């Protein structure tokens, strides 16, 4: 049975490669910016986004197993999305500096022809040391974290 990763995330691709299972990548075209997080719990919100990504591809490839995912960052009960620009990325990292925040990852595994839909999330607490302004600027300029919730990828540090 064909497995499709509904993501263009390099990190998710790395994780799939570790499993050493053949798969294809077909990124979802869901526009996450049109889905509001207002009034939604972080767990529900990341599961909703992951499920929407999987559902989109599951309808196009009904006999394949589709794996969709989404990650969000939460600090002080506020969901932090992906930064739109350098200023937002720097602001996000300054807000996370010296604090503990939560990272939620939602995963949705779907196969339309087999009537399979399994969606779940996991929460991890992450604590940052105090970050120097020059280190934040270096990170943002070097790693361009505009496709990462909270403006960072833990694997980059």
């Amino acid at each position: 049975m064909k497995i499709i990763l509904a993501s263009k995330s390099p990190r998710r691709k790395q994780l799939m490669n570790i499993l050493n299972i053949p798969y294809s990548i077909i990124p979802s075209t869901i526009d996450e910016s049109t889905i509001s997080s207002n009034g939604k719990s972080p767990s529900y919100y990341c599961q909703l986004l992951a499920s929407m990504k999987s559902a989109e591809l599951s309808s196009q490839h009904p006999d394949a197993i589709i794996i969709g995912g989404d990650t969000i960052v939460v600090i002080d009960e506020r969901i932090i999305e992906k930064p739109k620009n350098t200023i937002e990325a720097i602001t996000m990292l300054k807000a996370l500096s010296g604090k503990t925040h939560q990272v939620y990852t939602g995963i949705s595994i779907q196969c339309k022809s087999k009537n399979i839909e399994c969606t779940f999330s996991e929460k991890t607490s992450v604590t940052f040391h105090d970050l120097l302004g020059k280190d934040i600027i270096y990170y943002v300029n070097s790693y361009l974290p505009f496709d990462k919730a909270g403006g960072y990828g833990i694997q980059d540090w």
Side-chain angles (χ1 to χ4, degrees):
M1 182 170 273
K2 185 174 183 180
I3 299 173
I4 298 173
L5 178 61
S7 175
K8 59 185 172 192
S9 162
R11 182 65 181 146
R12 288 194 180 93
K13 181 180 175 183
Q14 272 182 328
L15 293 170
M16 289 295 292
N17 288 340
I18 289 169
L19 297 174
N20 201 25
I21 298 170
Y23 69 97
S24 301
I25 295 176
I26 303 176
S28 164
T29 60
I30 297 294
D31 183 359
E32 297 173 38
S33 68
T34 64
I35 313 302
S36 172
S37 63
N38 291 341
K40 296 175 179 75
S41 74
S43 178
Y44 174 81
Y45 181 60
C46 69
Q47 288 182 57
L48 173 66
L49 293 172
S51 180
M52 289 175 68
K53 293 173 185 179
S54 286
E56 175 193 31
L57 290 176
S58 187
S59 64
Q60 297 169 11
H61 305 274
D63 293 325
I65 295 173
I66 311 296
I67 303 170
D70 197 78
T71 299
I72 60 170
V73 170
V74 176
I75 187 163
D76 300 327
E77 299 182 26
R78 184 173 53 96
I79 294 173
I80 300 176
E81 305 284 348
K82 297 171 184 168
K84 294 178 183 73
N85 54 48
T86 299
I87 304 270
E88 272 193 15
I90 291 169
T91 301
M92 288 176 182
L93 291 171
K94 284 182 178 179
L96 297 172
S97 177
K99 296 180 183 164
T100 298
H101 61 278
Q102 289 69 48
V103 177
Y104 289 80
T105 298
I107 299 294
S108 185
I109 302 166
Q110 298 183 24
C111 179
K112 192 168 190 158
S113 69
K114 301 282 186 195
N115 201 27
I116 295 170
E117 183 176 348
C118 177
T119 302
F120 58 93
S121 65
E122 187 66 38
K123 177 177 87 168
T124 304
S125 292
V126 176
T127 303
F128 275 18
H129 288 284
D130 288 324
L131 303 173
L132 299 175
K134 68 181 180 77
D135 293 333
I136 291 173
I137 291 168
Y138 172 82
Y139 176 79
V140 171
N141 289 332
S142 299
Y143 291 92
L144 306 171
F146 309 112
D147 63 340
K148 297 174 175 76
Y152 77 94
I154 196 70
Q155 67 276 5
D156 297 336
W157 293 91

